[in-house]
Every structure is written in C-alpha cells, then in structure tokens.
C-alpha cells in the first residue's frame, strides 16, 4: 500500500506490532457503528504521546480506514470528528508518519471535510491540516493545487479563534515564493487577516503577524498595500510599532520588527521614518544582546543587517546604538565554558547551532561597514576581529565562510 512506512522501517516496526494494535484496527471494520466509534475513541487514547503505537497503527493500515470513515456521509458527525482527531494525533509523530499520511491523500480528504458546516468538525480538520503542513516533509504546493481551497479557507477565518489560528499558521508556513504571495494577496489575505492583529487571542495575533512577515518579504505590491491599511482606525505600521514594545513577548517584538523592515526595504516606508529609526532599528539591536536565546540573536542580527544594508545613515545610527559593534564580538565567544545555561538540552542545541551566530555576526559586520570608512575602522579594531575573519574563512559551514568573505 502506497501509504505504508518505508521498507527498512516497516520491517523493524512490524517485528514489534502487538495483538493490541491489530485489535484497534480490526474494530474500525465492525458492522456496528457504535462499536466503530468506541474503537476510534480508544485508538485516540492509545496513541497520545506513543510514537511506537502510532507507527504500528499506520503499518497495519489504520489510515485508509480512518480516512474512509471521515469521508462517508453515512458516518455520524461524532465519528467523523474523532477520526480527524486521531489522524491529527498520528501526524504529531515522526516525519515518516507525515509522509505516510500525505501518501494516503489525507490533505484532499481534510479539505473536503472543511465543506461540512459543523464548526467542531471543521476545527478538527484544520488542526490536523496545520500539523501536516508545518512539517518540513509536506510539499507546500499541495495547498495551492485546488483553486477553491484558498478562498474557502479565507471564508472560514471568521468562524472562531481556532480557525483563525490554524489557517493563518498554514498560510505563514506555506507562503514560500512570490507566486504564493500573489495567490494569497489576490484572495484578500490583507483585508481578511489584518483585523486579527487586534484579536483578544495572543496565538491568533502572533500567527497573523507571521503571515504579514512572509507576505511582505521582498514584495513591493504587498508592502505598498500594507502601508495604507487601517486596523480599527489605526495605521497598520503603528500596530506593528506597538507590538515591538518591550512588554510584548520577544517572538512578537521580533516578528513585528521584521514586518516593518520588509516594508522599509520594499520602499513603502522611508528609511528616515521615525518608526524605522526610533523603533525598528533599536528593537533589532536589542535582540542582539546576550540575554536573548541563540535563535533570537541570529534572527535579530540578520534582520538588522538586511534593514540597513542599502542605507549609510541607518548604518551610522546602528553603529553607535547600545555598543552594537562590541556586542557582536560576543557572538564568537558563545557558548563558552562559563555560559549561564543550566538546561542541558539548550546547551546541546546551542553548541550545534553556534556557527549560525558567527554567520549572523559576519553578515551584520559586513552590512554595518559597507559604506562608511569610520565604521569599518571601528569594526577592524574590535578585539581579535581580523583573526576571527581569517578563522571564519576556514569554517566547515559554507554559509559562515561566505559571510566571512563579505
């Protein structure tokens, strides 16, 4: 069957398949609908947090049967909803699980489910779709193959906070190319998603913000439209400025700063606008300080480098803001033997990704010093800077080498 696990994994998993797993699948074929429903509910409880059980059930052919029950108009609404929930749980397992689900054509089946008027069933289908689409192994193009899907998803945004959260998360993960941006833009993404920026739900606000970040990236049409949008009478750029305030979560500050950065680079906001000079740039410099997580420092530095790359005045302002040049020197010392990291998993993660900090620092140094001789002099006089560049040229990561060359 096309949707089974790959051969080597199939053999290893099959050797561990238990009679219990077979029993769960057999119950899906019972002629009594109530027993089928109870079987699906028991299966749901059995797979929570149990990746081995999930793999067993996939190998034993549970997915095609669950999809069949989900699509049958003769199935009760409760049964169809429970099937969507179990499929969503299976999708939360390994990447191989996701591949198996996609091979079984779960995405078109769930899209079909969204045509049902029942909100609880719609939310279960969307939750499962969200889990499938945010996996790196799912081809994002599957969102765009049927032309009616995007407009239907837009129409479901008004149904509940959950539909808003799941749909905007799907959009932000599946918007990877200028063509994707155009499709979403043409189907009213801006007018449909902008009201969500003032939602009472943090998750909805955050996912809506991420949508605007991917829509505006290197896109003049989107950026020029965003600059004229009002949200409850307030310009969208001011909504983004409020989201960059220090009392907001770091993730929100950083994503709002990216939105304004992309709008500025697209020419929708002048580089000397106060929301860039006094809000966005200082926010991004703040993100470079060592009190932030590694990925926040990387994203902050790379976004700041992109913001000021073509503008000498922004480079001059940044070079004198919060000792930025000296702050970047810490990117090469992290994590050190005295790093205040008590979480072993975090330390392990940071050791594996420390090269990303060095790459981001080289990019930001290159951007800072691209036009002004005084800034270049300041950078080269930074402690051990020339040694770091030379050592960066021989790093194993090609991205670090390229950044050092710049």
């Amino acid at each position: 069957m096309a949707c089974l696990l790959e051969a080597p994994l199939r053999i290893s998993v099959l050797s561990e398949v238990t009679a219990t797993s077979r029993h769960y699948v057999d119950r899906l074929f019972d002629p009594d609908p109530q027993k089928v429903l109870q079987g699906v509910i028991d299966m749901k409880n059995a797979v929570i947090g149990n990746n081995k059980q999930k793999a067993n059930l996939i190998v034993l052919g549970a997915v095609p049967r669950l999809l069949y029950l989900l699509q049958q108009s003769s199935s009760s609404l409760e049964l169809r909803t429970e099937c969507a929930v179990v499929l969503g749980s299976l999708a939360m397992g390994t990447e191989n699980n996701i591949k198996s689900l996609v091979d079984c054509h779960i995405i078109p089946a769930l899209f079909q489910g969204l045509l049902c008027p029942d909100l609880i069933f719609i939310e279960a289908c969307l939750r499962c779709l969200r889990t499938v689409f945010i996996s790196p192994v799912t081809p994002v193009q599957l969102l765009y193959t049927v032309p009616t899907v995007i407009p239907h998803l837009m129409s479901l945004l008004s149904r509940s906070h959950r539909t808003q959260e799941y749909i905007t998360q799907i959009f932000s993960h599946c918007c990877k190319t200028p063509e994707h941006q155009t499709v979403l833009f043409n189907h009213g993404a801006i007018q449909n998603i902008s009201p969500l920026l003032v939602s009472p739900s943090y998750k909805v606000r955050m996912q809506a913000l991420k949508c605007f970040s991917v829509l505006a990236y290197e896109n003049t049409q989107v950026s020029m439209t965003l600059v004229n949008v009002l949200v409850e009478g307030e310009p969208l750029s001011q909504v983004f400025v409020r989201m960059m305030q220090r009392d907001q979560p770091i993730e929100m500050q950083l994503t709002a700063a990216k939105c304004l950065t992309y709008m500025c680079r697209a020419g929708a906001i002048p580089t000397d606008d106060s929301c860039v000079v006094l809000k966005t740039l200082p926010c991004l410099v703040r993100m470079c300080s060592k009190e932030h997580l590694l990925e926040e420092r990387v994203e902050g530095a790379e976004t700041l480098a992109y913001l000021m790359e073509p503008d000498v005045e922004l480079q001059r302002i940044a070079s004198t803001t919060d000792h930025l040049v000296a702050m970047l020197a810490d990117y090469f010392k992290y994590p050190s033997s005295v790093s205040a990291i008590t979480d072993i998993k975090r330390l392990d993660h940071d050791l594996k990704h420390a090269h990303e900090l060095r790459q981001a620092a080289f990019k930001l140094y290159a951007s800072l010093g691209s036009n002004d001789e005084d800034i270049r002099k300041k950078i080269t006089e930074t402690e051990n800077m020339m040694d770091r560049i030379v050592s960066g040229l021989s790093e194993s990561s090609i991205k670090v080498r390229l950044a050092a060359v710049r």
Side-chain angles (χ1 to χ4, degrees), residues 161 164 194-205 232 243:
H161 285 160
Q164 291 166 354
S194 54
L196 308 185
L197 291 168
V198 290
S199 165
S201 161
Y202 171 77
K203 286 180 178 177
V204 172
R205 292 198 304 278
E232 293 187 347
M243 289 176 152

Side-chain angles (χ1 to χ4, degrees), residues 285-294 297-298 301 322-341 350 353-362 364-365 379 382-385 388:
V285 171
R286 247 187 354 258
M287 295 302 146
C288 297
S289 71
K290 58 185 173 187
E291 72 214 35
H292 292 298
L293 295 175
L294 178 144
R297 295 169 74 188
V298 168
D322 287 352
H323 309 290
L324 176 64
V325 173
M327 199 191 296
L328 286 177
D330 287 330
Y331 277 43
F332 297 93
K333 304 171 188 173
Y334 181 87
S336 70
S337 56
V338 293
S339 292
I341 303 179
D350 285 4
H353 293 269
H355 67 278
E356 293 175 19
L357 272 178
R358 297 192 290 277
Q359 177 192 332
F362 281 136
L364 188 42
Y365 277 138
I379 291 170
T382 305
E383 176 195 1
N384 300 328
M385 188 60 206
R388 287 193 183 112

